[in-house]
Amino acid sequence: MTELIHDVARIGHAELFTPKPQESLRFFADVLGMEEEAREGQSVYLRGWGDYLRYSLKLTESEQAGIGHVALRTWSSEALERRVAAVEATGLGKGWIDGDVGHGPAYQFTDPDGHPYELFYEAERYVAPDHLKPSWRNQPQRYTARGACVKRLDHINMLAADVRPNREFLEDVLGYRLYERIELDDGTEGGAWMSVSIAAHELIYVADHYGAHGRLHHLAFWVDTREECLRAADIFVENDVFIEAAPSKHGVVQGFFLYGYEPGGNRIEVTTGGYFVFDPDFEPITWTQTERARGQFWGVKTVESFHTYGTPDVAGAR
């Protein structure tokens, strides 16, 4: 067995583009219950109540919806240098930037499909203002109970013209472990669920229906219980948020889910559940095309748009 790379610790934050900045901000602040942490230029920085860094979402005004970038935090400055060298060897590196709100120098690159990424290490821990100070020291922020009150950014699902090279890039260059995958009848890879932690998925790639490059399927935000997921669905209804898929349980990875579209058009998931992988020699689970066609865990059929829609929207669906 090849020795695992343990240089990337987690997703630090994601940048999301929106053509409707005020409406999108209201969604994340009032419907999902996130806190505004900072503003700079055309961007607003938001956090869940369980985020230990200053923010997990950078919301940026743009002509089109989609992913701005994904920022991965390493375990150390030495780990950062090792991963930068590995990325540079692939020819996908873009170079260094001085940093952004809440974090130091970052190295920019893309995956083989063209999704923008950053690697960074230096970061500011969140210090709650008086009105958000928690009652317990092992919690970074007070639980506000506003909206769905999401705890943190949980995972990101990318669309890719070809899943396999992106999966191999994350495994070989960044040290991600493959936990589940879908192999279609023609031998192509329909999806890959990967993580650098014991969580069964943190970064996902699924095949882009249109063969487009660099698109986003969804961002997912964590709540602690299924009941909170169900409550989020009621909050979506009361705030006229389009629900694409009502709460149910996934077959792959077994996460509990709610999917809706924020006003800018990006698909957003409220999630909980799933499983943890503690085994050092865990064998990835491969699903066939026939098995995947069964739908979700309880037999719920997946809505067609879940397989076809992404941002930017290349089909004019919204």
Side-chain angles (χ1 to χ4, degrees), residues 223-271:
V223 292
D224 282 334
T225 68
R226 290 183 181 181
E227 184 58 39
E228 289 177 273
C229 234
L230 297 173
R231 178 174 173 271
D234 287 342
I235 292 170
F236 277 23
V237 169
E238 295 296 344
N239 286 275
D240 297 320
V241 175
F242 171 72
I243 294 177
E244 179 185 40
S248 190
K249 183 179 179 180
H250 279 299
V252 176
V253 183
Q254 299 195 20
F256 199 77
F257 66 80
L258 162 69
Y259 289 98
Y261 296 168
E262 58 87 20
N266 295 293
R267 180 186 286 109
I268 300 297
E269 179 185 10
V270 177
T271 187

Side-chain angles (χ1 to χ4, degrees), residues 283-297:
E283 289 292 332
I285 297 165
T286 297
W287 301 95
T288 66
Q289 187 169 329
T290 300
E291 289 173 327
R292 189 67 186 95
R294 290 175 55 190
Q296 303 305 326
F297 194 87

Side-chain angles (χ1 to χ4, degrees), residues 2-5 83 164-179 181 189 192-196 205 284:
T2 304
E3 184 68 23
L4 294 173
I5 302 167
R83 287 313 97 211
R164 194 183 308 274
N166 293 280
R167 185 259 295 170
E168 292 175 344
F169 175 80
L170 258 66
E171 286 182 298
D172 298 341
V173 179
L174 298 178
Y176 275 76
R177 294 179 68 187
L178 175 67
Y179 287 147
R181 62 187 287 272
E189 204 154 274
W193 284 255
M194 294 166 287
S195 178
V196 288
Y205 284 90

Side-chain angles (χ1 to χ4, degrees), residues 38-96:
R39 292 191 181 213
E40 187 174 277
Q42 300 301 108
S43 299
V44 181
Y45 300 77
L46 298 136
R47 56 175 286 102
W49 64 271
D51 282 319
Y52 283 89
L53 300 184
R54 286 184 58 185
Y55 60 92
S56 57
L57 176 66
K58 178 181 180 180
L59 186 64
T60 299
E61 182 177 358
S62 181
E63 292 184 1
Q64 289 185 309
I67 192 74
H69 73 273
V70 176
L72 306 176
R73 192 180 185 208
T74 62
W75 281 104
S76 65
S77 56
E78 294 80 9
L80 174 59
E81 294 297 336
R82 287 192 295 268
R83 287 313 97 211
V84 167
V87 171
E88 287 183 331
T90 69
L92 293 170
K94 299 296 183 182
W96 289 92

Side-chain angles (χ1 to χ4, degrees), residues 161-217:
D162 188 352
V163 170
R164 194 183 308 274
N166 293 280
R167 185 259 295 170
E168 292 175 344
F169 175 80
L170 258 66
E171 286 182 298
D172 298 341
V173 179
L174 298 178
Y176 275 76
R177 294 179 68 187
L178 175 67
Y179 287 147
E180 299 198 24
R181 62 187 287 272
I182 297 168
E183 184 165 313
L184 304 180
D185 292 345
D186 63 4
T188 60
E189 204 154 274
W193 284 255
M194 294 166 287
S195 178
V196 288
S197 75
I198 61 170
H201 63 327
E202 294 172 324
L203 276 174
I204 306 163
Y205 284 90
V206 293
D208 192 304
H209 177 77
Y210 297 100
H213 293 267
R215 297 206 301 153
L216 174 70
H217 191 273

